[in-house]
Amino acid sequence: MVVHHRSIGAGLGALLAAGMTVSLAAGEIRLLNVSYDPTRELYQEVNAVFARQWEARTGDKVVFQQSHGGSGKQARAVIDGLPADVVTLALAYDIDMIAARGRLLPANWQRRLPHNSSPYTSTIVFLVRRGNPKGLKDWDDLARPGVEIVTANPRTSGGARWNYLAAWGYALKKLGNDPARAREFVSRLYGNVKVLDTGARGATTTFVQRGIGDVLITWENEAILSIKEAGADKFERVTPSVSILAEPPVAWVDRVVSRRGTAAVAKAYLEFLYTPEGQEIVARHHYRPRLESVAAKYAADFPKVELFTLDEVFGGWAAAQKTHFGEGGVFDQIQQARR
């Protein structure tokens, strides 16, 4: 069952009621995965495979519910009471907020699973229309006059924050590590944004289905999926020369799983993502797997690109959030200047 974020408000009471029940029937366990926008297809397959394995091993049937939306919105929903057994969000800052404000899991949650609790990675690329009519090859091209960009809003979408930071990091690298020049570049780029959607999947819909814009700034997996679904005769993926290493994290939510008795299955579910079979599913859904043997098998799907990390350039999520995305931060200032 997939629960879309726009239905959360109306369905929260029902979910809360359901979430308070450990079992649907004898030997049945309900697990709610609160995730970010583009992971619907990934977790539908993960859920089916894991449920089969868990039932074969334990005799218990796991019934999954999924909730998807902008990562920041999803984190706030969990803090406000959406009973997530696990959260699989776009960036560590959002889970940090669930720990700090909601007090629903420990502050050191990233140490509980390998790779800082990020079982796969991605990066930020461009999706353009077939033939690339505007000749968009790198970040510089997106800041040219006359280019219309579609992206998500960093205030609500984790993917959008990765988009913004990828552009900023590129500008720093190209412009002598000068923050003032990077800000001017990113301001010009966002001056070309035609639509700011609340989430990454909404931005994809605006670009692909509504036909708005010359270029979509998006997750690599979302670009590949769009081409796969719509056809290579309609869209092309453009990988810029430099981008950011995006590391979407996962965590079980201690207070929820403790109350509902789902700790063992929730932990096993997330650990499954690190197994060879889980990594294969990750790769098939166009996320970059951590396991080298699987990454080598799918290497053709993921062009080599110079990647920088968030910690290297921005000093971690707390610093990046405060400077760029907090109330009155640089992104707000850029948006105010556009008006």
Side-chain angles (χ1 to χ4, degrees), residues 122-128 132 136-142 166 170 215-221 223-224 227 236-244 288 299-307:
S122 189
T123 190
I124 303 305
V125 303
F126 313 146
L127 186 68
V128 299
N132 196 0
L136 307 174
K137 299 296 185 184
D138 214 338
W139 293 102
D140 288 323
D141 299 318
L142 273 58
Y170 168 83
V215 57
L216 172 70
I217 307 176
T218 191
W219 295 99
E220 180 178 55
N221 53 282
I224 297 171
I227 295 168
E236 298 177 14
R237 172 179 32 153
V238 174
T239 301
S241 62
V242 175
S243 196
I244 195 166
R288 295 186 177 219
D301 293 345
F302 305 112
K304 289 188 176 180
V305 56
E306 182 180 340
L307 298 173

Side-chain angles (χ1 to χ4, degrees), residues 49 52-53 272-282 284:
V49 174
R52 284 197 300 270
Q53 292 188 4
F272 171 74
L273 296 171
Y274 292 87
T275 66
E277 188 169 10
Q279 292 282 286
E280 283 273 349
I281 297 171
V282 161
R284 284 201 300 272

Side-chain angles (χ1 to χ4, degrees), residues 5-328:
H5 182 79
R6 58 180 172 269
S7 67
I8 284 176
L12 181 56
L15 275 173
L16 282 167
M20 294 297 291
T21 304
V22 174
S23 298
L24 301 174
E28 290 190 344
I29 304 167
R30 188 192 301 269
L31 209 70
L32 173 59
N33 177 0
V34 174
S35 196
Y36 64 108
D37 241 355
T39 59
R40 293 168 175 81
E41 298 82 6
L42 167 65
Y43 283 111
Q44 283 168 3
E45 184 173 356
V46 168
N47 294 350
V49 174
F50 175 81
R52 284 197 300 270
Q53 292 188 4
W54 186 261
E55 186 170 12
R57 195 164 81 218
T58 69
D60 291 333
K61 183 177 181 180
V62 184
V63 178
F64 284 97
Q65 292 177 308
Q66 293 174 233
S67 171
H68 297 274
S71 188
K73 279 190 169 183
Q74 294 291 75
R76 286 191 290 275
V78 173
I79 292 168
D80 290 343
L82 184 63
D85 297 275
V86 299
V87 286
T88 57
L89 296 178
L91 43 89
Y93 179 82
D94 288 332
I95 303 182
D96 284 340
M97 288 302 95
I98 296 171
R101 296 181 187 172
R103 302 185 182 278
L104 297 175
L105 70 165
N108 67 348
W109 61 270
Q110 278 189 287
R111 299 179 191 170
R112 303 190 299 192
L113 290 169
H115 304 295
N116 288 321
S117 292
S118 294
Y120 52 85
T121 69
S122 189
T123 190
I124 303 305
V125 303
F126 313 146
L127 186 68
V128 299
R129 304 193 188 281
R130 182 65 184 174
N132 196 0
K134 294 287 178 79
L136 307 174
K137 299 296 185 184
D138 214 338
W139 293 102
D140 288 323
D141 299 318
L142 273 58
R144 290 189 336 229
V147 174
E148 291 188 348
I149 298 170
V150 175
T151 182
N153 190 333
R155 294 302 299 273
T156 54
S157 165
R161 277 175 270 179
W162 288 115
N163 295 351
Y164 171 102
L165 296 173
W168 192 283
Y170 168 83
L172 283 176
K173 180 176 178 62
K174 182 168 183 182
L175 302 172
N177 207 33
D178 183 337
R181 295 178 72 192
R183 176 176 175 144
E184 190 276 332
F185 173 82
V186 173
S187 296
R188 282 193 289 116
L189 189 152
Y190 275 84
N192 285 345
V193 171
K194 182 81 171 176
V195 176
L196 274 177
D197 276 290
T198 57
R201 182 56 60 87
T204 301
T205 299
T206 295
F207 183 76
V208 171
Q209 296 183 15
R210 295 174 61 198
I212 295 173
D214 301 307
V215 57
L216 172 70
I217 307 176
T218 191
W219 295 99
E220 180 178 55
N221 53 282
E222 191 76 346
I224 297 171
L225 181 63
S226 296
I227 295 168
K228 185 177 177 181
E229 290 186 343
D233 59 329
K234 292 184 174 63
F235 300 101
E236 298 177 14
R237 172 179 32 153
V238 174
T239 301
S241 62
V242 175
S243 196
I244 195 166
L245 178 66
E247 300 179 282
V250 302
W252 61 88
V253 183
D254 295 62
R255 281 180 59 182
V256 174
V257 299
S258 176
R259 184 179 73 233
R260 300 185 58 236
T262 55
V265 66
K267 182 179 179 183
Y269 174 63
L270 297 182
E271 289 173 340
F272 171 74
L273 296 171
Y274 292 87
T275 66
E277 188 169 10
Q279 292 282 286
E280 283 273 349
I281 297 171
V282 161
R284 284 201 300 272
H285 289 273
H286 320 301
Y287 297 85
R288 295 186 177 219
R290 293 285 197 178
L291 197 61
E292 289 185 9
S293 59
V294 178
K297 181 177 175 181
Y298 289 87
D301 293 345
F302 305 112
K304 289 188 176 180
V305 56
E306 182 180 340
L307 298 173
F308 60 85
T309 70
L310 180 89
D311 287 351
E312 288 168 354
V313 177
F314 299 98
W317 269 114
Q321 180 70 26
K322 181 178 179 180
T323 299
H324 293 277
F325 310 120
E327 202 72 41

